[in-house]
Amino acid sequence: MRIWTWLKVLIIGLLLFVTGLYAVFMSDWFQRKYVYPFLYQEAIYTYALQYDLDPFLIAGVIRTESKFITEARSPKGALGLMQIMPDTGRWIAEQREQKNFMIADLADPDMNIRFGTWYLASLKKEFSGNEVLYLAAYNGGRGNVRQWMERYGWSKDFDDIKQIPFKETREYVERVLNSKKRYQELYGR
């Protein structure tokens, strides 16, 4: 009989411990500090305002692309917080008429956020403000998204993420939009 009493106490204790852990994990404090950090807010808000983008969307892109790790480098060679490819960085510098641009500049958080936000804004304009399409273009390439629009008859009102043919891009768009929503909940007050 004594073993059953200890077993009950152990189970109740374990349940209380797990419940406490869950409560801490789901708390806004923990989520802000460890799951959805919002670093570089000044740069994000500055460039979001400058390029007419939602700062929480930019935070969602950065979280999805690099988890706010400034030295992040993808296997394909994308660099920095917003994971900009070197060729794209050069193209952005040309479009912005920025002299003396070097690929190493993409490691600078401010420069990376400025370039990435500018690029997102150019995609937003190209895809008539359709968030799903311009996020898909940011990840999968604007040419691919244009082909999908033509091939599948997508209009500028397209919003069915499940129809995106590249699994990586489909999951990317979902992650960014979920992160954007969570950033709004945590920091938008």
Side-chain angles (χ1 to χ4, degrees):
M1 198 57 132
R2 215 167 180 190
I3 264 187
W4 290 112
T5 304
W6 279 105
L7 193 57
K8 287 179 189 175
V9 168
L10 182 65
I11 290 171
I12 290 170
L14 189 58
L15 286 173
L16 289 173
F17 178 73
V18 168
T19 302
L21 266 178
Y22 180 77
V24 168
F25 178 78
M26 293 308 292
S27 71
D28 286 354
W29 167 83
F30 187 89
Q31 292 277 303
R32 283 187 188 124
K33 183 144 178 87
Y34 298 106
V35 184
Y36 292 91
F38 196 1
L39 308 171
Y40 310 106
Q41 285 187 39
E42 186 176 341
I44 290 170
Y45 278 103
T46 297
Y47 299 123
L49 183 62
Q50 184 175 345
Y51 297 118
D52 191 30
L53 287 170
D54 185 328
F56 302 121
L57 176 72
I58 297 167
V61 168
I62 294 172
R63 180 179 184 271
T64 303
E65 290 285 357
S66 68
K67 296 191 177 17
F68 284 90
I69 299 169
T70 56
E71 316 75 44
R73 183 181 190 111
S74 78
K76 293 180 181 178
L79 302 167
L81 293 170
M82 295 187 75
Q83 291 292 280
I84 299 170
M85 292 296 288
D87 286 344
T88 304
R90 280 189 211 90
W91 179 79
I92 293 169
E94 286 173 17
Q95 299 302 306
R96 299 185 77 248
E97 298 178 359
Q98 183 163 332
K99 308 273 188 253
N100 304 321
F101 171 75
M102 296 182 342
I103 297 304
D105 294 339
L106 294 174
D108 174 63
D110 187 82
M111 172 77 78
N112 196 282
I113 294 168
R114 184 176 347 134
F115 273 35
T117 303
W118 181 92
Y119 186 53
L120 266 176
S122 76
L123 293 170
K124 178 181 178 182
K125 183 178 179 184
E126 181 176 342
F127 293 100
S128 304
N130 183 311
E131 211 169 49
V132 171
L133 293 176
Y134 73 80
L135 285 172
Y138 190 86
N139 177 265
R142 62 184 357 130
N144 285 326
V145 173
R146 285 266 171 227
Q147 286 176 357
W148 300 336
M149 290 178 76
E150 192 174 308
R151 181 180 307 145
Y152 303 117
W154 296 350
S155 71
K156 292 179 181 186
D157 297 328
F158 175 81
D159 66 354
D160 188 358
I161 297 169
K162 290 177 177 45
Q163 286 188 33
I164 296 172
F166 290 179
K167 181 181 182 213
E168 176 188 334
T169 301
R170 185 172 54 246
E171 290 174 351
Y172 173 84
V173 172
E174 288 174 342
R175 282 194 308 270
V176 170
L177 292 177
N178 287 335
S179 290
K180 173 191 170 191
K181 181 179 180 222
R182 191 65 179 127
Y183 276 105
Q184 288 169 327
E185 293 167 355
L186 290 169
Y187 296 95
R189 297 180 184 138

